[in-house]
Amino acid sequence: MIEEPQARSPIGKVSPTAGAPFARVMPADPLIKIRPGNSSIKSSLSEVWVHRELLYFLVWRDLKVRYKQTLLGAAWVILQPLLMAIIFTVFMSKLARVPSDSVPYPLFAYAGLLPWMFFSNAVATSSLGLLANSYMITKVYFPRIIIPMALVGVRLIDFVTASAMLVVMMVYYRVEIGRGLLFLPVLFLLTTLLTLGFSIWLAALNVKYRDVGTLLPLLLQVCMFASPIIYPSSLVPERWRLIYSLNPLAGLVEGFRASLFNLPFDWTSIGIGAAVIVVLFIYFVQAFCRIEEDIVDIM
């Protein structure tokens, strides 16, 4: 942190102190402005590492608050994607006859819903994170980026927990595991990076423009149907396939299925998606660093 001297305004204001023998002339602009010393990705990550204990505390706090007054507790983490997979199986597979690339449709839908629900739930909750924790932000300094990171960490634990049901379903349907499973950690890392980037960007943007929180649920719904969550990307016409790959979720979701069910990888879609994710993450972190300086003043 550095203190940046501000130019003293020639026009001051009179202190309204009653009974003072002499009026005190106060400057219209602040003499000292507190801001981060270096707004860069490297410095932001360094500050997060220094405050890593706070990050762990916020993750643990949010986990306890979520399941404090629920009947089923953490079981909702598994029930939510499972119930959605059952609904989509009835309407998309049984009625609409949507293909599933030779994979049983309940397994096909559940494998697509897992990364999607991690992304959508994390982005939705993180976008409100800074506003919900304004009582902390306005009282003490700490890296503001920690708040959306903690909320993403909570959803990351949900993602890992819900994956246990996927293992059970794969055993039930006797899915053969291939070498593609070794690529699963890379896809997991890319999904986390994409989710974290959007979460920190929208959290800062929602502080500045409050209607972002209103528009976000609609955008997430559109994004879901624009990604191969409940249908395979093979249904997309070949002439639109390259443009479709610019949606990073398309390559990630299909990559998850290919890795889990021993299907062929679409390396073009995964490569384009990975490049888009890296570029977006760098841009989003830099955008957050620029807005972070004015977050307290806006609140």
Side-chain angles (χ1 to χ4, degrees):
M1 300 290 297
I2 65 174
E3 295 182 350
E4 179 183 344
Q6 300 292 313
R8 188 185 297 269
S9 175
I11 302 177
K13 59 181 179 180
V14 179
S15 175
T17 305
F22 300 99
R24 297 173 58 191
V25 178
M26 303 296 292
D29 299 328
L31 298 178
I32 297 176
K33 185 176 183 182
I34 300 177
R35 64 178 177 84
N38 185 14
S39 297
S40 65
I41 296 178
K42 184 178 180 180
S43 64
S44 297
L45 296 179
S46 300
E47 287 194 348
V48 169
W49 176 252
V50 172
H51 295 80
R52 59 189 180 277
E53 292 184 359
L54 176 60
L55 177 61
Y56 301 150
F57 168 77
L58 291 176
V59 171
W60 179 244
R61 182 202 65 174
D62 291 337
L63 279 174
K64 290 196 300 183
V65 169
R66 283 185 60 199
Y67 305 120
K68 188 175 182 180
Q69 294 181 333
T70 57
L71 292 175
L72 298 179
W76 283 114
V77 175
I78 298 177
L79 286 176
Q80 187 179 6
L82 183 61
L83 292 175
M84 291 187 66
I86 294 173
I87 293 172
F88 285 132
T89 299
V90 173
F91 287 95
M92 302 300 294
S93 178
K94 301 300 182 182
L95 299 180
R97 303 293 181 181
V98 174
S100 56
D101 290 342
S102 71
V103 178
Y105 192 87
L107 194 58
F108 175 89
Y110 194 88
L113 285 168
L114 274 184
W116 162 250
M117 294 189 71
F118 164 55
F119 172 81
S120 61
N121 290 337
V123 169
T125 54
S126 299
S127 64
L128 303 173
L130 294 179
L131 293 175
N133 292 274
S134 59
Y135 64 94
M136 293 174 51
I137 295 175
T138 55
K139 286 184 173 61
V140 63
Y141 174 78
F142 60 92
R144 319 301 187 196
I145 199 173
I146 281 183
I147 291 179
M149 288 182 69
L151 293 171
V152 172
V154 172
R155 295 299 180 176
L156 196 59
I157 295 174
D158 292 349
F159 179 45
V160 174
T161 303
S163 298
M165 178 56 67
L166 179 63
V167 175
V168 173
M169 295 175 68
M170 291 176 65
V171 173
Y172 175 79
Y173 285 106
R174 299 180 181 180
V175 176
E176 295 183 2
I177 299 176
R179 295 181 179 178
L181 194 65
L182 298 175
F183 193 65
L184 192 62
V186 178
L187 296 169
F188 181 78
L189 177 62
L190 289 173
T191 305
T192 304
L193 205 64
L194 176 68
T195 305
L196 184 59
F198 270 100
S199 296
I200 61 179
W201 179 59
L202 290 172
L205 204 62
N206 196 32
V207 173
K208 197 171 183 180
Y209 307 105
R210 302 299 171 89
D211 48 355
V212 171
T214 304
L215 185 61
L216 185 58
L218 175 61
L219 294 178
L220 288 175
Q221 288 293 325
V222 173
C223 186
M224 177 180 178
F225 291 103
S227 306
I229 311 298
I230 57 177
Y231 61 88
S233 59
S234 57
L235 292 181
V236 179
E238 188 67 31
R239 64 179 181 274
W240 298 106
R241 195 69 59 84
L242 186 61
I243 298 176
Y244 188 73
S245 299
L246 293 176
N247 175 9
L249 283 171
L252 290 177
V253 172
E254 289 291 8
F256 267 99
R257 291 193 180 114
S259 179
L260 292 169
F261 308 141
N262 200 22
L263 300 174
F265 285 92
D266 187 352
W267 294 111
T268 301
S269 180
I270 294 175
I272 294 175
V276 172
I277 289 172
V278 172
V279 172
L280 287 178
F281 181 78
I282 295 174
Y283 170 77
F284 289 155
V285 174
Q286 290 179 343
F288 184 91
C289 291
R290 290 194 299 268
I291 301 175
E292 182 181 13
E293 183 178 343
D294 301 320
I295 283 179
V296 176
D297 296 331
I298 296 173
M299 286 183 174

